[in-house]
mmCIF file of all heavy atoms in Angstrom:
data_model
loop_
_atom_site.group_PDB
_atom_site.id
_atom_site.type_symbol
_atom_site.label_atom_id
_atom_site.label_comp_id
_atom_site.label_asym_id
_atom_site.label_seq_id
_atom_site.Cartn_x
_atom_site.Cartn_y
_atom_site.Cartn_z
ATOM 1 N N ILE E 112 2.476 4.069 -12.787
ATOM 2 C CA ILE E 112 3.085 5.288 -12.266
ATOM 3 C C ILE E 112 4.152 4.881 -11.272
ATOM 4 O O ILE E 112 3.848 4.286 -10.237
ATOM 5 C CB ILE E 112 2.036 6.204 -11.598
ATOM 6 C CG1 ILE E 112 1.007 6.656 -12.638
ATOM 7 C CG2 ILE E 112 2.709 7.396 -10.920
ATOM 8 C CD1 ILE E 112 -0.109 7.508 -12.088
ATOM 9 N N GLU E 113 5.395 5.154 -11.616
ATOM 10 C CA GLU E 113 6.538 4.842 -10.745
ATOM 11 C C GLU E 113 6.514 3.404 -10.239
ATOM 12 O O GLU E 113 6.688 3.138 -9.059
ATOM 13 C CB GLU E 113 6.607 5.837 -9.593
ATOM 14 C CG GLU E 113 6.886 7.243 -10.075
ATOM 15 C CD GLU E 113 7.150 8.216 -8.944
ATOM 16 O OE1 GLU E 113 7.189 7.810 -7.766
ATOM 17 O OE2 GLU E 113 7.324 9.394 -9.260
ATOM 18 N N GLY E 114 6.257 2.478 -11.147
ATOM 19 C CA GLY E 114 6.310 1.069 -10.807
ATOM 20 C C GLY E 114 5.047 0.511 -10.168
ATOM 21 O O GLY E 114 4.981 -0.668 -9.861
ATOM 22 N N HIS E 115 4.039 1.352 -9.966
ATOM 23 C CA HIS E 115 2.784 0.879 -9.377
ATOM 24 C C HIS E 115 1.675 1.003 -10.411
ATOM 25 O O HIS E 115 1.534 2.032 -11.064
ATOM 26 C CB HIS E 115 2.423 1.687 -8.136
ATOM 27 C CG HIS E 115 1.176 1.215 -7.474
ATOM 28 N ND1 HIS E 115 1.141 0.062 -6.723
ATOM 29 C CD2 HIS E 115 -0.082 1.688 -7.490
ATOM 30 C CE1 HIS E 115 -0.088 -0.127 -6.290
ATOM 31 N NE2 HIS E 115 -0.860 0.842 -6.748
ATOM 32 N N VAL E 116 0.874 -0.043 -10.552
ATOM 33 C CA VAL E 116 -0.239 -0.011 -11.497
ATOM 34 C C VAL E 116 -1.470 0.556 -10.786
ATOM 35 O O VAL E 116 -1.875 0.063 -9.734
ATOM 36 C CB VAL E 116 -0.534 -1.414 -12.079
ATOM 37 C CG1 VAL E 116 -1.705 -1.344 -13.053
ATOM 38 C CG2 VAL E 116 0.704 -1.965 -12.784
ATOM 39 N N CYS E 117 -2.011 1.618 -11.375
ATOM 40 C CA CYS E 117 -3.172 2.323 -10.829
ATOM 41 C C CYS E 117 -4.370 2.131 -11.757
ATOM 42 O O CYS E 117 -4.213 1.717 -12.901
ATOM 43 C CB CYS E 117 -2.883 3.824 -10.733
ATOM 44 S SG CYS E 117 -1.386 4.259 -9.834
ATOM 45 N N GLU E 118 -5.545 2.498 -11.267
ATOM 46 C CA GLU E 118 -6.754 2.380 -12.071
ATOM 47 C C GLU E 118 -7.315 3.768 -12.362
ATOM 48 O O GLU E 118 -7.494 4.577 -11.457
ATOM 49 C CB GLU E 118 -7.795 1.554 -11.323
ATOM 50 C CG GLU E 118 -9.061 1.313 -12.120
ATOM 51 C CD GLU E 118 -9.998 0.364 -11.402
ATOM 52 O OE1 GLU E 118 -9.774 -0.852 -11.482
ATOM 53 O OE2 GLU E 118 -10.933 0.856 -10.745
ATOM 54 N N LEU E 119 -7.574 4.015 -13.650
ATOM 55 C CA LEU E 119 -8.193 5.259 -14.091
ATOM 56 C C LEU E 119 -9.438 4.889 -14.877
ATOM 57 O O LEU E 119 -9.350 4.247 -15.921
ATOM 58 C CB LEU E 119 -7.215 6.058 -14.963
ATOM 59 C CG LEU E 119 -7.694 7.410 -15.458
ATOM 60 C CD1 LEU E 119 -8.005 8.347 -14.290
ATOM 61 C CD2 LEU E 119 -6.635 8.038 -16.360
ATOM 62 N N GLN E 120 -10.598 5.248 -14.338
ATOM 63 C CA GLN E 120 -11.859 4.920 -14.990
ATOM 64 C C GLN E 120 -12.378 6.144 -15.724
ATOM 65 O O GLN E 120 -12.236 7.269 -15.246
ATOM 66 C CB GLN E 120 -12.897 4.466 -13.960
ATOM 67 C CG GLN E 120 -12.518 3.195 -13.254
ATOM 68 C CD GLN E 120 -13.567 2.759 -12.236
ATOM 69 O OE1 GLN E 120 -14.585 3.411 -12.041
ATOM 70 N NE2 GLN E 120 -13.290 1.657 -11.571
ATOM 71 N N LEU E 121 -12.987 5.904 -16.886
ATOM 72 C CA LEU E 121 -13.643 6.966 -17.643
ATOM 73 C C LEU E 121 -15.134 6.673 -17.631
ATOM 74 O O LEU E 121 -15.558 5.586 -18.040
ATOM 75 C CB LEU E 121 -13.118 7.021 -19.078
ATOM 76 C CG LEU E 121 -11.706 7.587 -19.221
ATOM 77 C CD1 LEU E 121 -10.675 6.504 -18.990
ATOM 78 C CD2 LEU E 121 -11.522 8.214 -20.574
ATOM 79 N N HIS E 122 -15.904 7.627 -17.125
ATOM 80 C CA HIS E 122 -17.340 7.432 -16.925
ATOM 81 C C HIS E 122 -18.160 8.447 -17.697
ATOM 82 O O HIS E 122 -17.707 9.567 -17.932
ATOM 83 C CB HIS E 122 -17.714 7.650 -15.449
ATOM 84 C CG HIS E 122 -17.016 6.783 -14.481
ATOM 85 N ND1 HIS E 122 -17.391 5.479 -14.248
ATOM 86 C CD2 HIS E 122 -15.971 7.023 -13.665
ATOM 87 C CE1 HIS E 122 -16.604 4.970 -13.314
ATOM 88 N NE2 HIS E 122 -15.737 5.875 -12.961
ATOM 89 N N LEU E 123 -19.393 8.076 -17.983
ATOM 90 C CA LEU E 123 -20.410 9.026 -18.418
ATOM 91 C C LEU E 123 -21.198 9.419 -17.168
ATOM 92 O O LEU E 123 -21.612 8.556 -16.382
ATOM 93 C CB LEU E 123 -21.343 8.404 -19.455
ATOM 94 C CG LEU E 123 -20.711 8.198 -20.830
ATOM 95 C CD1 LEU E 123 -21.625 7.369 -21.717
ATOM 96 C CD2 LEU E 123 -20.407 9.543 -21.474
ATOM 97 N N ALA E 124 -21.387 10.721 -16.974
ATOM 98 C CA ALA E 124 -22.017 11.232 -15.748
ATOM 99 C C ALA E 124 -23.380 10.595 -15.494
ATOM 100 O O ALA E 124 -23.710 10.277 -14.348
ATOM 101 C CB ALA E 124 -22.136 12.753 -15.825
ATOM 102 N N LYS E 125 -24.181 10.391 -16.534
ATOM 103 C CA LYS E 125 -25.518 9.831 -16.321
ATOM 104 C C LYS E 125 -25.453 8.404 -15.794
ATOM 105 O O LYS E 125 -26.369 7.953 -15.112
ATOM 106 C CB LYS E 125 -26.342 9.909 -17.599
ATOM 107 C CG LYS E 125 -26.714 11.340 -17.918
ATOM 108 C CD LYS E 125 -27.650 11.465 -19.064
ATOM 109 C CE LYS E 125 -27.934 12.948 -19.246
ATOM 110 N NZ LYS E 125 -28.948 13.243 -20.175
ATOM 111 N N LEU E 126 -24.382 7.689 -16.106
ATOM 112 C CA LEU E 126 -24.246 6.329 -15.594
ATOM 113 C C LEU E 126 -23.747 6.303 -14.150
ATOM 114 O O LEU E 126 -23.998 5.344 -13.423
ATOM 115 C CB LEU E 126 -23.316 5.509 -16.485
ATOM 116 C CG LEU E 126 -23.848 5.192 -17.873
ATOM 117 C CD1 LEU E 126 -22.811 4.426 -18.678
ATOM 118 C CD2 LEU E 126 -25.141 4.410 -17.803
ATOM 119 N N ILE E 127 -23.043 7.367 -13.746
ATOM 120 C CA ILE E 127 -22.545 7.442 -12.369
ATOM 121 C C ILE E 127 -23.722 7.349 -11.392
ATOM 122 O O ILE E 127 -23.605 6.766 -10.321
ATOM 123 C CB ILE E 127 -21.771 8.763 -12.140
ATOM 124 C CG1 ILE E 127 -20.447 8.740 -12.881
ATOM 125 C CG2 ILE E 127 -21.550 9.052 -10.660
ATOM 126 C CD1 ILE E 127 -19.374 7.908 -12.259
ATOM 127 N N ALA E 128 -24.855 7.924 -11.786
ATOM 128 C CA ALA E 128 -26.032 7.923 -10.914
ATOM 129 C C ALA E 128 -26.465 6.505 -10.532
ATOM 130 O O ALA E 128 -26.958 6.285 -9.438
ATOM 131 C CB ALA E 128 -27.178 8.665 -11.589
ATOM 132 N N ILE E 129 -26.260 5.543 -11.419
ATOM 133 C CA ILE E 129 -26.656 4.163 -11.102
ATOM 134 C C ILE E 129 -25.507 3.336 -10.551
ATOM 135 O O ILE E 129 -25.714 2.223 -10.106
ATOM 136 C CB ILE E 129 -27.267 3.445 -12.334
ATOM 137 C CG1 ILE E 129 -26.216 3.251 -13.421
ATOM 138 C CG2 ILE E 129 -28.502 4.150 -12.823
ATOM 139 C CD1 ILE E 129 -26.593 2.213 -14.448
ATOM 140 N N LYS E 130 -24.298 3.904 -10.559
ATOM 141 C CA LYS E 130 -23.138 3.118 -10.145
ATOM 142 C C LYS E 130 -23.249 2.637 -8.699
ATOM 143 O O LYS E 130 -22.922 1.496 -8.400
ATOM 144 C CB LYS E 130 -21.843 3.914 -10.322
ATOM 145 C CG LYS E 130 -20.614 3.087 -9.988
ATOM 146 C CD LYS E 130 -19.337 3.827 -10.226
ATOM 147 C CE LYS E 130 -18.170 2.900 -9.958
ATOM 148 N NZ LYS E 130 -16.892 3.525 -10.150
ATOM 149 N N SER E 131 -23.698 3.497 -7.796
ATOM 150 C CA SER E 131 -23.755 3.079 -6.390
ATOM 151 C C SER E 131 -24.712 1.909 -6.214
ATOM 152 O O SER E 131 -24.445 0.991 -5.441
ATOM 153 C CB SER E 131 -24.144 4.246 -5.480
ATOM 154 O OG SER E 131 -25.441 4.701 -5.799
ATOM 155 N N LYS E 132 -25.821 1.911 -6.949
ATOM 156 C CA LYS E 132 -26.763 0.782 -6.863
ATOM 157 C C LYS E 132 -26.130 -0.484 -7.427
ATOM 158 O O LYS E 132 -26.223 -1.551 -6.832
ATOM 159 C CB LYS E 132 -28.047 1.113 -7.610
ATOM 160 C CG LYS E 132 -28.856 2.186 -6.935
ATOM 161 C CD LYS E 132 -30.079 2.539 -7.740
ATOM 162 C CE LYS E 132 -30.788 3.716 -7.075
ATOM 163 N NZ LYS E 132 -31.847 4.248 -7.888
ATOM 164 N N ALA E 133 -25.487 -0.363 -8.587
ATOM 165 C CA ALA E 133 -24.830 -1.520 -9.192
ATOM 166 C C ALA E 133 -23.712 -2.029 -8.281
ATOM 167 O O ALA E 133 -23.500 -3.230 -8.152
ATOM 168 C CB ALA E 133 -24.274 -1.163 -10.572
ATOM 169 N N HIS E 134 -22.987 -1.098 -7.630
ATOM 170 C CA HIS E 134 -21.884 -1.509 -6.761
ATOM 171 C C HIS E 134 -22.409 -2.244 -5.524
ATOM 172 O O HIS E 134 -21.787 -3.196 -5.064
ATOM 173 C CB HIS E 134 -21.034 -0.306 -6.359
ATOM 174 C CG HIS E 134 -19.739 -0.700 -5.737
ATOM 175 N ND1 HIS E 134 -18.731 -1.310 -6.452
ATOM 176 C CD2 HIS E 134 -19.294 -0.620 -4.462
ATOM 177 C CE1 HIS E 134 -17.723 -1.568 -5.646
ATOM 178 N NE2 HIS E 134 -18.039 -1.164 -4.432
ATOM 179 N N ARG E 135 -23.556 -1.827 -4.995
ATOM 180 C CA ARG E 135 -24.129 -2.540 -3.842
ATOM 181 C C ARG E 135 -24.481 -3.975 -4.225
ATOM 182 O O ARG E 135 -24.243 -4.902 -3.458
ATOM 183 C CB ARG E 135 -25.356 -1.802 -3.311
ATOM 184 C CG ARG E 135 -24.995 -0.608 -2.447
ATOM 185 C CD ARG E 135 -26.182 -0.133 -1.629
ATOM 186 N NE ARG E 135 -27.279 0.375 -2.436
ATOM 187 C CZ ARG E 135 -27.387 1.632 -2.851
ATOM 188 N NH1 ARG E 135 -26.451 2.507 -2.561
ATOM 189 N NH2 ARG E 135 -28.431 2.013 -3.562
ATOM 190 N N VAL E 136 -25.026 -4.158 -5.426
ATOM 191 C CA VAL E 136 -25.320 -5.512 -5.910
ATOM 192 C C VAL E 136 -24.021 -6.305 -6.017
ATOM 193 O O VAL E 136 -23.929 -7.452 -5.562
ATOM 194 C CB VAL E 136 -26.048 -5.461 -7.278
ATOM 195 C CG1 VAL E 136 -26.125 -6.842 -7.907
ATOM 196 C CG2 VAL E 136 -27.430 -4.855 -7.120
#
Side-chain angles (χ1 to χ4, degrees):
I112 297 177
E113 295 188 4
H115 182 75
V116 180
C117 306
E118 183 174 279
L119 182 61
Q120 296 180 359
L121 287 85
H122 302 280
L123 288 170
K125 290 187 179 188
L126 292 178
I127 289 284
I129 66 162
K130 184 177 184 180
S131 63
K132 291 177 185 171
H134 193 69
R135 281 196 296 273
V136 169

